[in-house]
Amino acid sequence: MIRCLVVDDERLALEVMENYIEKIPFLRLVQLCSSPMQALQVLSRTPVDLLLLDIEMPELTGLQFLRTLKDPPFVILTTAYQEFALEGFAVNAIDYLLKPIPFERFLTAIHKVQQRMAIPAKEVPLPPAPKVAALESIFIRSESRTVRIDLADILFAESRKDYVLIHTQEKKWVTQLTLSRLEEKLPPGHFVRIHRSFIVAIHKIDSIDQNRVEIGGKHIPIGDFYRENLMKRIG
């Protein structure tokens, strides 16, 4: 999982980056920051692997901010101005994305980060076996109250435009959590994201074909970016 921090003073640009990150299963958004000073606070307390950094910002430019960091993470620069490209590569940026950024171009840059972060197979430790009873329930905010949901009851979670629906065996819960935030709360040994809009309980899967998963009589699509990870998770 690549932990990403996005820094841009334009709200629309932040939303575009958030949307792109959610589409890629091995990316996790740490935070959206509207200024370098806000990003500095995040970096001081949270591990970050990748900085998606706008160049033109008031008070402190992205390049100026980058030069203040002693041990910066990997950096992808974003800007609306092509003339900064040479200076961007001078600070060892992995890539330089010109706004408006197509998703295909963003994905190419992310693959470069993947290659830089690659670890030889012999150095990768085997993951520990998941502990089924390590976490039995989660708390979520639903409407005006905080409710507890037993993990054993969850079938799948579905992202809608402004909210997430958690489907259990008895009912559906509506929460303002994003799907990415919910994914962080769920134990990865028992839940897997199969689409930008769906997380499913692995032990509730009835069947899988090429394009969808069946759970409790419901058919859920499998996204192209998520299929390989799903098949690995079910062995």
Side-chain angles (χ1 to χ4, degrees):
M1 188 67 70
I2 301 175
R3 296 162 295 191
C4 305
L5 180 65
V6 184
V7 189
D8 201 306
D9 62 321
E10 297 178 4
R11 184 63 206 173
L12 180 59
L14 291 173
E15 291 174 356
V16 169
M17 288 293 101
E18 181 179 27
N19 179 45
Y20 283 1
I21 290 170
E22 284 204 346
K23 289 182 177 181
I24 302 177
F26 53 83
L27 297 185
R28 181 171 74 83
L29 178 62
V30 174
Q31 191 167 322
L32 300 174
C33 297
S34 58
S35 71
M37 298 313 297
Q38 183 185 5
L40 190 61
Q41 293 178 358
V42 176
L43 288 169
S44 68
R45 65 175 186 268
T46 307
V48 171
D49 302 310
L50 173 62
L51 193 59
L52 291 154
L53 181 63
D54 183 36
I55 293 180
E56 281 295 283
M57 289 182 284
E59 297 183 358
L60 193 67
T61 70
L63 294 174
Q64 291 170 337
F65 168 65
L66 193 54
R67 293 188 183 101
T68 68
L69 302 179
K70 282 189 174 181
D71 188 21
F74 292 115
V75 177
I76 293 175
L77 294 172
T78 65
T79 182
Y81 304 98
Q82 192 167 2
E83 58 266 28
F84 291 112
L86 187 59
E87 192 172 1
F89 287 112
V91 294
N92 294 321
I94 287 184
D95 211 336
Y96 179 96
L97 302 180
L98 194 62
K99 299 177 183 178
I101 303 167
F103 177 69
E104 293 82 1
R105 182 67 183 86
F106 176 80
L107 186 59
T108 298
I110 294 301
H111 283 158
K112 292 180 182 179
V113 178
Q114 264 193 307
Q115 292 171 0
R116 293 280 191 95
M117 293 182 66
I119 302 172
K122 65 180 181 181
E123 296 182 14
V124 179
L126 293 174
K131 297 180 180 179
V132 175
L135 183 64
E136 296 179 350
S137 62
I138 59 171
F139 286 89
I140 65 161
R141 188 73 177 171
S142 181
E143 297 176 345
S144 60
R145 60 197 180 118
T146 300
V147 297
R148 181 176 64 84
I149 301 179
D150 291 335
L151 296 180
D153 291 338
I154 297 176
L155 301 175
F156 62 93
E158 175 185 3
S159 176
R160 298 291 180 88
K161 184 176 181 182
D162 299 316
Y163 59 90
V164 166
L165 270 178
I166 299 177
H167 297 253
T168 68
Q169 295 176 347
E170 301 296 331
K171 63 179 297 183
K172 301 174 185 176
W173 296 96
V174 179
T175 177
Q176 296 299 316
L177 277 176
T178 65
L179 201 63
S180 292
R181 291 292 295 166
L182 176 62
E183 186 176 17
E184 293 175 7
K185 295 170 73 72
L186 295 171
H190 305 285
F191 293 86
V192 61
R193 193 161 182 169
I194 66 167
H195 188 276
R196 61 174 297 192
S197 300
F198 289 96
I199 296 173
V200 303
I202 296 173
H203 61 288
K204 299 291 186 180
I205 295 175
D206 296 318
S207 65
I208 302 173
D209 61 28
Q210 186 174 3
N211 298 311
R212 62 185 184 176
V213 161
E214 183 178 355
I215 294 181
K218 302 284 187 180
H219 291 99
I220 303 169
I222 302 172
D224 291 339
F225 286 111
Y226 300 85
R227 182 176 291 105
E228 182 179 355
N229 183 54
L230 169 63
M231 302 313 292
K232 286 181 179 178
R233 295 289 295 280
I234 65 172

